[in-house]
Amino acid sequence: SYEVDLWGRVRRGFESARAEAAASAAAFHNLLLTLQADVAQNYFRLRAIDEEIVVLRRAVALRREQADIMRTRFDIGLGGELDVARAETELATAEGDVAALLRNRAELENALAILVGEAPSSFTLASQADATNRWAIKPPTIPAGLPSQLLERRPDIAEAERQLAADNARIGIAK
């Protein structure tokens, strides 16, 4: 059968359906962008923890050396038992901090595995804490005065714009 579209109801229905489909595609791209941002954020956090582990391992080595010195001083009668206890407490605290960072690193590695769609048990990301040539990338600088056209490329804004077009077309159907 054929329906004469005198007032544009059918045309506006098709227009609404097309705009809703475009809004769904923009929502998909928004979700994809969010996933990519989560992966990047977790990766950079993991690399920051790697750097902290390097620093804390150096601190543990220094605390261990300090505790050995304090024990030696106490053994020869130059230091007190309180100094030895304090040095050993600082050493234990530093070792605990390293263990906490290693646990946080494992959690971030598991989160990255889930985000990229792999099983956490089979996913590993090499630690750069022991590497001699560590990661040293600086984030890019964002120039001042970016054009407003960049906003139109954002998927969430494109979705809202297309949803508005679909709503506008539904108003035309109602008329």
Side-chain angles (χ1 to χ4, degrees):
S1 72
Y2 182 76
E3 181 179 340
V4 177
D5 192 17
L6 293 178
W7 291 280
R9 182 181 67 81
V10 175
R11 178 177 45 87
R12 295 293 242 167
F14 282 127
E15 185 180 325
S16 173
R18 271 189 248 112
E20 284 179 2
S24 293
F28 169 75
H29 289 293
N30 189 28
L31 182 65
L32 189 61
L33 183 64
T34 302
L35 176 68
Q36 292 168 345
D38 285 346
V39 167
Q41 192 175 36
N42 284 334
Y43 179 79
F44 285 123
R45 271 195 224 143
L46 188 128
R47 289 307 178 203
I49 285 177
D50 281 347
E51 292 297 319
E52 285 183 58
I53 289 171
V54 168
V55 171
L56 278 177
R57 284 186 176 160
R58 284 188 213 139
V60 166
L62 290 173
R63 300 284 185 201
R64 186 170 285 119
E65 187 178 321
Q66 178 188 12
D68 291 342
I69 291 170
M70 289 300 156
R71 270 190 229 103
T72 303
R73 287 184 59 152
F74 177 71
D75 289 343
I76 62 173
L78 293 176
E81 192 174 338
L82 179 64
D83 294 334
V84 174
R86 185 177 297 140
E88 288 176 353
T89 301
E90 289 173 357
L91 173 62
T93 301
E95 287 172 342
D97 290 344
V98 169
L101 280 178
L102 289 172
R103 186 185 70 243
N104 288 345
R105 186 187 191 288
E107 289 172 0
L108 282 173
E109 197 172 69
N110 288 342
L112 276 171
I114 291 168
L115 287 171
V116 298
E118 296 209 12
S121 60
S122 65
F123 183 83
T124 57
L125 196 59
S127 172
Q128 293 182 337
D130 300 323
T132 56
N133 186 11
R134 289 198 308 272
W135 181 70
I137 296 176
K138 296 192 182 349
T141 57
I142 299 173
L146 288 175
S148 63
Q149 294 168 343
L150 288 177
L151 287 177
E152 293 174 4
R153 292 182 7 198
R154 284 184 42 188
D156 57 337
I157 292 177
E159 177 188 6
E161 179 186 20
R162 290 176 183 114
Q163 195 63 44
L164 181 65
D167 291 342
N168 192 22
R170 280 193 286 277
I171 291 171
I173 293 171
K175 279 185 178 178

